[in-house]
Amino acid sequence: MKQKIKKASLDDTRKFMAQKNIAIAGVSRNDKKFGNAIFKELKSKGYNLFPLHAELESFSGLACYKDVALLPDEVTGLLVCTKPDNTFSLVKAAAEKGIQNIWLQQGAQHDGAIIFAREKGINIIHRQCALMFAEPVGSVHNFHRGINKFFGAYPK
């Protein structure tokens, strides 16, 4: 029988967004990728970001980290904007590094990674867009948040 995946609460999302040192997996050479948009938006809101990409040397003027294990100890969160095929290994590496807050951006969903993280006591958020929670929330993300509230998809 398939295990039911519990949604993250509003407190879980707030706990994640309260951090200031976050690694982002999924930055790309392709400017149209959503990982790049999240990076730029969070950077503009004052977050201290650590781009994570196995092949890039740098991103947006910052050195890229090739592996979660190489991230500095000050990193307390990981935001995953990759294909689901990569998600479980990233979550496992984050757990081994001691990272206790992980956000799986929409599209990075991996049920096994969520179950693993919960078993390890990690705060993991999924099926939500991080930009709906990064204050101040503007324009399209505020509209998206309103739609989610209206249809009951916003965390409680």
Side-chain angles (χ1 to χ4, degrees), residues 76-138:
T76 56
L78 173 65
L79 199 155
V80 179
C81 300
T82 64
K83 294 179 181 176
D85 298 354
N86 301 321
T87 300
F88 189 84
S89 62
L90 287 164
V91 169
K92 188 171 185 251
E96 289 169 0
K97 178 76 176 166
I99 294 173
Q100 291 296 301
N101 293 284
I102 300 173
W103 193 298
L104 305 182
Q105 181 62 27
Q106 294 165 315
Q109 178 82 17
H110 186 286
D111 290 351
I114 296 164
I115 292 165
F116 172 84
R118 292 252 166 81
E119 288 172 352
K120 298 289 184 186
I122 293 170
N123 178 36
I124 189 160
I125 293 95
H126 56 94
R127 297 191 192 276
Q128 295 291 338
C129 176
L131 297 181
M132 289 191 326
F133 301 91
E135 298 292 345
V137 178

Side-chain angles (χ1 to χ4, degrees), residues 5-81:
I5 306 289
K6 178 183 106 82
K7 285 184 177 182
S9 70
L10 187 55
D11 284 344
D12 294 335
T13 63
R14 288 179 176 151
K15 180 179 177 183
F16 184 94
M17 298 313 292
Q19 305 171 96
K20 290 300 175 188
N21 296 313
I22 300 172
I24 299 187
V27 296
S28 172
R29 291 179 192 96
N30 181 345
D31 276 345
K32 295 182 183 354
K33 293 293 185 178
F34 199 67
N36 293 9
I38 285 180
F39 186 96
K40 290 172 187 168
E41 183 78 18
L42 292 181
K43 191 76 171 159
S44 76
K45 294 176 189 263
Y47 287 88
N48 189 24
L49 303 177
F50 300 81
L52 185 62
H53 192 288
E55 297 170 7
L56 291 178
E57 293 296 320
S58 65
F59 179 80
S60 194
L62 299 171
C64 260
Y65 292 86
K66 306 266 183 224
D67 190 281
V68 172
L70 300 174
L71 290 167
D73 291 340
E74 67 199 75
V75 174
T76 56
L78 173 65
L79 199 155
V80 179
C81 300

